[in-house]
Amino acid sequence: MYLTGKIDIDPSQITVYKKVKPTKLFSKLVDALTFGSLSQKREHETFTAVAILQQLNIALRTLNVKNVIRLAVDDYDFYLDEKGEEDDLEQAMFEFKAKVDPIESEFFNTIYLVLEHNDDSIKYLIEISVYRKHKIGEYPIKINVNGVMTDLKTQDGESSEQLKARLEPIFSSQEAYDYFIKTKKTIFNSFIDELEQAVRRYIKIDDIKKTTTIQVIRPNEKVSSKEQIKHDRYADPVYYGYYGFDNYFLYSWLWADMLFSHNMYVNDFYMVDSLGNEVMNVGTMGFNAGDYNTLNSDASFEPPGAGDISYYGENEYEDTLADANLIEDSAADTEADTSSDWLSDDYDNISGDDMSYNACSSCGSCSSD
């Protein structure tokens, strides 16, 4: 079990930018992406995207979220914390220019900023994505937050059986389980609300979409050590394999079996596969986990025979769901390109004389960004 919050941002007509570079890490990112040789249009796109990213980073710093662990452009990691450094924004000084093709860099699709944050109850991974192009109906700025429980971190030398023993009080009764979930959801949702308000203070927006959910991992085989955890850089940030994070994540891989063995009544959650792909959404009407092999990793997956449930394809259990006529077989995606290059669209509405870069003149946090 882990918590997920998503904030999708539709920015207002962008305040446009002149060539006044942001400082330190973000300045180096602009240098690396522009090479001083792009067209004015592409340069405008780059400055706009990086400036938005910087403003979002500043918003996070007002919440004392300042531990940057990754900065990436498309599939290239400009910075990746592989040592567990704290508050390491100023240490992210890699030689990016020499490693990126200047022609390819002109056509970047997505810039990512990932930060890590701890409080007394939850460890957060916060992934910000700024897309140059996005599908019609989707928003170009996305914040994906994952939360895991700090007190359930695997201790040095602790086996999965010992970790299970520490989990037992949570599953000792339905009341204990419900109280645990309710408490953690309240803390997580409060953080997401604070994050939304911080974003609204620093980014002019037309609309924000916000959701929070509980995710329960149903692995297709039992996981008993952190070495068995699957990683995928394109899945939720918890699956990336960030330094030291699997110590916090292992309990999540035991959760489904604990629900099954203790026959907990479960509702209002998403079941996901080993890479975080949605398998089913269980609504308010749930089911008793011990009644089916839905969450039992010692058996083949079976859909529950009760509950208010929606099913999805493109996951490890797709064939089983299709055989049960709960989803249609996947078909090739022949959808036409309906994406919007919103940064270019904004540029088309301005003249060169209008360009003015709005870095955060009112906030001292810029000095370390």
Side-chain angles (χ1 to χ4, degrees):
M1 185 277 290
Y2 63 95
L3 299 162
T4 292
K6 296 182 185 296
I7 300 176
D8 294 351
I9 303 167
D10 182 19
S12 301
Q13 181 71 24
I14 303 298
T15 301
V16 294
Y17 306 85
K18 69 181 179 181
K19 288 193 279 186
V20 178
K21 293 180 181 179
T23 57
K24 300 197 177 174
L25 179 59
F26 289 96
S27 175
K28 290 180 179 289
L29 178 60
V30 170
D31 285 343
L33 288 174
T34 61
F35 285 84
S37 61
L38 298 188
S39 66
Q40 187 181 46
K41 188 177 200 177
R42 287 299 187 204
E43 200 162 277
H44 163 76
E45 291 181 7
T46 301
F47 272 88
T48 302
V50 173
I52 289 171
L53 199 61
Q54 179 173 253
Q55 295 296 96
L56 290 169
N57 182 62
I58 294 163
L60 285 164
R61 291 178 77 86
T62 67
L63 303 179
N64 202 34
V65 179
K66 53 187 179 181
N67 185 18
V68 174
I69 59 174
R70 182 178 175 228
L71 177 61
V73 179
D74 296 334
D75 289 329
Y76 187 91
D77 289 333
F78 173 41
Y79 172 68
L80 180 63
D81 181 1
E82 297 178 311
K83 297 181 180 179
E85 302 286 350
E86 294 291 333
D87 193 13
D88 48 5
L89 187 58
E90 292 188 52
Q91 299 182 37
M93 303 302 180
F94 280 72
E95 291 297 330
F96 187 54
K97 272 189 184 181
K99 299 178 182 178
V100 179
D101 188 307
I103 297 176
E104 289 184 358
S105 72
E106 183 173 348
F107 300 102
F108 76 89
N109 292 313
T110 311
I111 301 178
Y112 301 94
L113 180 69
V114 184
L115 302 97
E116 187 179 63
H117 179 64
N118 286 359
D119 60 27
D120 292 337
S121 183
I122 296 176
K123 185 179 183 70
Y124 302 89
L125 281 177
I126 303 156
E127 180 184 79
I128 302 171
S129 308
V130 179
Y131 294 86
R132 183 172 64 83
K133 298 180 70 174
H134 64 98
K135 292 182 179 180
I136 300 299
E138 294 185 358
Y139 291 170
I141 303 170
K142 298 181 182 295
I143 304 177
N144 187 7
V145 183
N146 292 159
V148 293
M149 310 303 113
T150 54
D151 53 342
L152 299 181
K153 175 186 177 182
T154 307
Q155 306 300 318
D156 291 343
E158 185 177 35
S159 67
S160 61
E161 291 304 316
Q162 290 170 322
L163 178 56
K164 280 184 180 180
R166 282 206 291 126
L167 293 174
E168 281 292 335
I170 299 171
F171 298 88
S172 61
S173 69
Q174 189 68 49
E175 292 76 15
Y177 179 77
D178 291 343
Y179 177 78
F180 179 88
I181 294 296
K182 180 180 179 181
T183 300
K184 299 302 183 182
K185 280 177 62 177
T186 299
I187 295 170
F188 185 80
N189 289 350
S190 177
F191 178 79
I192 297 299
D193 289 342
E194 291 177 2
L195 178 54
E196 179 193 0
Q197 292 307 310
V199 168
R200 288 182 182 274
R201 286 195 297 269
Y202 284 91
I203 299 288
K204 292 182 179 181
I205 62 170
D206 284 337
D207 190 30
I208 277 185
K209 297 177 182 177
K210 179 180 65 176
T211 59
T212 59
T213 60
I214 292 175
Q215 316 283 91
V216 174
I217 304 169
R218 203 291 193 181
N220 57 7
E221 58 184 22
K222 189 173 291 294
V223 172
S224 57
S225 70
K226 62 182 182 181
E227 288 75 22
Q228 293 176 275
I229 294 175
K230 294 182 179 180
H231 297 143
D232 186 340
R233 65 186 292 142
Y234 302 107
D236 264 351
V238 289
Y239 295 92
Y240 190 93
Y242 291 112
Y243 179 87
F245 195 82
D246 285 350
N247 291 324
Y248 291 87
F249 196 28
L250 179 58
Y251 82 87
S252 294
W253 296 79
L254 312 178
W255 202 267
D257 282 326
M258 296 287 284
L259 289 171
F260 172 78
S261 62
H262 290 79
N263 196 23
M264 292 290 107
Y265 177 78
V266 290
N267 64 342
D268 288 328
F269 75 98
Y270 280 83
M271 194 194 88
V272 298
D273 67 13
S274 299
L275 291 176
N277 299 303
E278 294 175 352
V279 178
M280 63 185 199
N281 177 16
V282 181
T284 303
M285 295 177 58
F287 60 94
N288 293 315
D291 290 351
Y292 313 97
N293 283 322
T294 307
L295 300 173
N296 178 16
S297 67
D298 285 324
S300 297
F301 168 75
E302 66 174 355
D308 172 22
I309 301 173
S310 300
Y311 296 94
Y312 306 96
E314 299 183 6
N315 55 62
E316 292 176 333
Y317 307 112
E318 180 177 33
D319 291 343
T320 299
L321 296 175
D323 290 343
N325 295 317
L326 295 172
I327 61 169
E328 295 182 0
D329 290 319
S330 293
D333 185 5
T334 58
E335 181 181 338
D337 181 9
T338 57
S339 61
S340 170
D341 192 340
W342 63 287
L343 294 172
S344 283
D345 292 342
D346 178 68
Y347 177 87
D348 292 337
N349 294 324
I350 65 172
S351 67
D353 294 337
D354 293 329
M355 297 184 75
S356 58
Y357 176 72
N358 180 20
C360 46
S361 59
S362 63
C363 177
S365 297
C366 255
S367 60
S368 60
D369 296 335

